[in-house]
Amino acid sequence: MDLLSVTLSTTREAADAATVQSQLRQAVDAALTEARRAARPGQLEVRTGDFSLYPRYAPKGGISGWQGRAEVVVEGRDTQAIAQLTGRLPTLSIARVAYGLSREARERVEAEVTAQAITRFRDRAAAQTQQFGFGSYLLREVQVGAQEPPPYAAAPMRMKAAGAASDEALPVEAGKATVTSTVSGSVQMIK
């Protein structure tokens, strides 16, 4: 896996929605300012994620306050730079960490796996044609498909607890992904 995605978030509470929205915007703006300094296309990219604001209700009804949540997503191939950056965003906490394959890596591996699957299909068709006592075969129908692996999501992490070092890097380690390609079809055996 060559693509790391880290979602950082923050929550705020206040008596009115405008205050919560303002506090969330300040936290996100501060994180974006720092993250944009480290951004490099394809290697470390930054974008905003979800931004939600919702009321809290009192036990006897009515709105007792407001709560909101905002996210910033840092993703790319430079896992070390991403890990270091997450430690420098003190206004946000790590909510999710996910690994996956970049589009380029997935396409390259899919092409290799599909070529292998086609070769196996042909070899099996030829062997079974021979086992049935026929001389050759014609392909009648063929379907080729690949499945995109789901991103691997690590357990949610909360590193920015009170007292945690603000420049502590996120410990990350990529795993492996499975890329699957299937080839199916029908053949007509010929004497």
Side-chain angles (χ1 to χ4, degrees), residues 90-115:
T91 60
L92 303 175
S93 299
I94 296 170
R96 285 184 305 280
V97 177
Y99 271 101
L101 286 174
S102 65
R103 183 177 46 97
E104 298 84 7
R106 186 182 71 252
E107 288 173 354
R108 180 177 34 80
V109 172
E110 279 179 2
E112 294 169 9
V113 170
T114 299

Side-chain angles (χ1 to χ4, degrees), residues 29-162:
D29 284 346
L32 287 173
T33 298
E34 177 67 28
R36 285 180 185 132
R37 288 187 213 140
R40 292 186 330 271
Q43 297 301 306
L44 189 155
E45 296 181 355
V46 62
R47 64 181 168 83
T48 55
D50 292 338
F51 191 102
S52 59
L53 188 63
Y54 42 92
R56 285 183 315 181
Y57 293 96
K60 294 185 179 188
I63 296 174
S64 65
W66 290 82
Q67 186 171 7
R69 184 173 192 273
E71 294 179 344
V72 170
V73 180
V74 180
E75 58 192 2
R77 290 187 189 102
D78 191 342
T79 58
Q80 288 302 102
I82 293 169
Q84 292 296 321
L85 175 62
T86 60
R88 295 193 317 264
L89 302 177
T91 60
L92 303 175
S93 299
I94 296 170
R96 285 184 305 280
V97 177
Y99 271 101
L101 286 174
S102 65
R103 183 177 46 97
E104 298 84 7
R106 186 182 71 252
E107 288 173 354
R108 180 177 34 80
V109 172
E110 279 179 2
E112 294 169 9
V113 170
T114 299
Q116 292 171 4
I118 290 170
T119 299
R120 285 187 186 141
F121 180 87
R122 285 181 169 166
D123 291 348
R124 289 179 91 190
Q128 290 172 355
T129 298
Q130 208 172 26
Q131 290 169 350
F132 278 106
F134 290 89
S136 63
Y137 67 91
L138 289 173
L139 288 175
R140 293 316 236 173
E141 184 180 317
V142 177
Q143 295 89 30
V144 179
Q147 293 178 343
E148 183 174 332
Y152 170 76
M157 301 177 71
R158 300 280 184 224
M159 288 188 58
K160 300 284 196 297

Side-chain angles (χ1 to χ4, degrees), residues 165-188:
S166 64
D167 61 350
E168 187 175 324
L170 173 68
V172 292
E173 182 67 34
K176 294 182 180 185
T178 301
V179 176
T180 305
S181 181
T182 57
V183 176
S184 61
S186 62
V187 297
Q188 178 180 355

